[in-house]
Amino acid sequence: MELIDFTDCRITNKTYGGANGSKLSGIYNNEMYMIKLPPVAKAFSFMHYSNSCYSEYLGCHIFNHLEVTAQETLLGIYRKNDKTYNVVACKDFATGDLEFQDFASLKNQIIDSGQHGYGTELESILFTIKEQNLVDGDKLVSFFWDMFIIDALIGNFDRHNGNWGFLRNRKTDEVSIAPVFDCGSSLNSQASEEDMKTIMSDINQLKIRVYDRPVSAIQVKNKKIRYFDFLKETENRDCIKSLKKITEKIDFGIIDGMIESVPFFSDTMKEFYRFILRKRKEMILENALGEKTC
C-alpha cells in the first residue's frame, strides 16, 4: 500500500461533526476527503490513541468486498506541531449538488414511528423503513439488514440513526441510499496489543469479546441487541436472507490481503484481525445460520 502524506493537502473551511477524534477537510487528488486523526483512548490509560482509524479503513473495505457500498477510505500520515499522526482519509460523498440526510431525519417525518429520530428501537426503525417513500422499500430493508449483518461481523457498537442514511440531489430532489460510513467503532478499536494476545490465547476472553461485547446500538425492548442471541433467535425473513447472503460472500483470501497490505499493522495486529474476523464469522454468523432457510 502506498503511504500517503496528507500534510500538504489544501485544508478547506468545511467542518465535520461527531465526537470521535479531530477531523479536517482536505483536498487530495482534486477530491474532498475528511481526514480523521486518531482519538485519544480516554478509557484506557495504557493506550495513547485508539485504533479507530484502522477500524474505519478496514471496516469500509470489508463492506465494499461484501458488495455493500461504503465510502472510499485511504490510510496515511498527517504532520502537525512536530508530531506525525497515522490517519484515515474518508472521501466526502456529500459534495456538489448532493447532501447527506441521516436516517434519524427521515424517522422524524414518520408521525407514528413510536420514537423520535434517534430512537434505536428495532420495531420503530423497521416501521419507518416500511412507511417511508424516499426510496424503494425492498431495497432499503435489504440494505439495512445487510448493514446489520456486516456490523455483526466486524463488531460495530455504534451504528445509530445518525450515521447512515441518504443522499439527496438539491437540484432534482432525487434520493438514493448513501454509502456506508463511520466504521471506526468496530474491530475492537480500543484493544491494545496485549489485549489482542489475550483474546487469541484465552477462550473465555474470546467468548466475552464475541458473545457479550460489543453489542449493537439497536435495541429490542429498550435493551441493546447482542448480535449472536438476536441472529440465533430471529424469525425475520429479511434478516435471515441477509445473514445467508453475506455469510456466503465472505472471502478471507481477499480480507487477509487487505490486512496484510496495511503498513501500520504490527504482526500481532495482523494476526488478531485475521483471527477475530474468522471467529466472529464462525461463532456468530455461521452458528446463528444453522438450519435457517430463507
Side-chain angles (χ1 to χ4, degrees):
M1 178 189 297
E2 177 188 1
L3 187 61
I4 303 169
D5 189 340
F6 293 101
T7 306
D8 294 328
C9 288
R10 180 169 65 85
I11 302 302
T12 79
N13 292 325
K14 183 170 183 176
T15 58
Y16 299 100
N20 196 15
S22 299
K23 305 174 181 70
L24 303 172
S25 172
I27 305 298
Y28 173 72
N29 279 352
N30 297 317
E31 299 279 359
M32 186 174 291
Y33 283 80
M34 176 178 64
I35 302 170
K36 295 178 71 172
L37 279 69
V40 176
K42 296 179 180 179
F44 303 93
S45 59
F46 50 83
M47 290 180 66
H48 184 47
Y49 291 109
S50 81
N51 295 319
S52 64
C53 287
Y54 307 142
S55 300
E56 184 83 65
Y57 171 84
L58 191 54
C60 286
H61 276 68
I62 289 172
F63 265 96
N64 281 318
H65 158 57
L66 296 172
E67 299 178 359
V68 177
T69 302
Q71 72 179 155
E72 177 187 326
T73 53
L74 304 170
L75 285 175
I77 59 173
Y78 186 81
R79 307 177 197 275
K80 180 76 171 179
N81 297 330
D82 298 323
K83 292 183 179 180
T84 299
Y85 300 93
N86 297 344
V87 300
V88 61
C90 306
K91 189 173 181 180
D92 193 333
F93 48 72
T95 58
D97 293 327
L98 297 178
E99 64 178 0
F100 175 70
Q101 297 182 160
D102 62 21
F103 183 77
S105 300
L106 170 64
K107 199 163 176 287
N108 277 334
Q109 292 183 341
I110 308 300
I111 297 173
D112 297 323
S113 69
Q115 287 187 321
H116 61 78
Y118 289 96
T120 55
E121 190 69 25
L122 177 61
E123 182 179 4
S124 182
I125 291 172
L126 294 179
F127 179 82
T128 298
I129 290 174
K130 180 181 178 181
E131 293 296 309
Q132 61 81 35
N133 57 11
L134 288 184
V135 298
D136 181 87
D138 290 339
K139 289 182 179 178
L140 185 57
V141 76
S142 177
F143 172 85
F144 170 79
W145 285 119
D146 287 352
M147 182 171 63
F148 182 88
I149 300 302
I150 300 173
D151 279 339
L153 173 66
I154 65 177
N156 191 349
F157 60 85
D158 195 35
R159 183 70 65 199
H160 53 76
N161 295 342
N163 61 10
W164 71 281
F166 312 92
L167 289 177
R168 174 181 170 268
N169 188 303
R170 296 183 184 91
K171 286 186 175 180
T172 66
D173 205 33
E174 293 177 333
V175 175
S176 59
I177 300 172
V180 173
F181 67 102
D182 202 0
C183 296
S185 298
S186 62
L187 292 164
N188 303 89
S189 60
Q190 294 203 359
S192 67
E193 291 199 26
E194 287 304 311
D195 291 332
M196 294 176 180
K197 291 176 182 178
T198 299
I199 295 168
M200 289 189 288
S201 62
D202 186 330
I203 185 62
N204 291 322
Q205 285 299 311
L206 172 62
K207 288 180 178 179
I208 289 171
R209 295 297 186 124
V210 171
Y211 294 133
D212 296 334
R213 66 176 191 265
V215 294
S216 172
I218 298 171
Q219 300 182 21
V220 171
K221 297 180 180 178
N222 297 315
K223 187 175 181 180
K224 289 185 176 181
I225 288 173
R226 287 158 53 108
Y227 282 114
F228 172 69
D229 292 345
F230 177 82
L231 292 174
K232 183 72 172 178
E233 297 168 6
T234 188
E235 296 181 359
N236 184 293
R237 308 307 297 174
D238 295 311
C239 177
I240 295 170
K241 184 177 180 179
S242 287
L243 173 61
K244 185 174 187 296
K245 176 178 62 176
I246 296 300
T247 302
E248 290 177 348
K249 285 182 178 180
I250 297 170
D251 184 337
F252 281 115
I254 293 175
I255 293 174
D256 288 352
M258 298 176 191
I259 295 168
E260 189 63 33
S261 70
V262 177
F264 299 134
F265 288 171
S266 66
D267 289 342
T268 296
M269 294 172 72
K270 290 177 181 179
E271 181 183 4
F272 175 74
Y273 290 131
R274 291 192 297 262
F275 173 86
I276 199 65
L277 285 166
R278 281 171 167 81
K279 289 301 181 181
R280 292 189 71 85
K281 176 178 183 279
E282 170 192 338
M283 297 169 68
I284 297 179
L285 305 189
E286 292 178 348
N287 196 358
L289 190 56
E291 299 300 320
K292 291 182 186 292
T293 56
C294 296

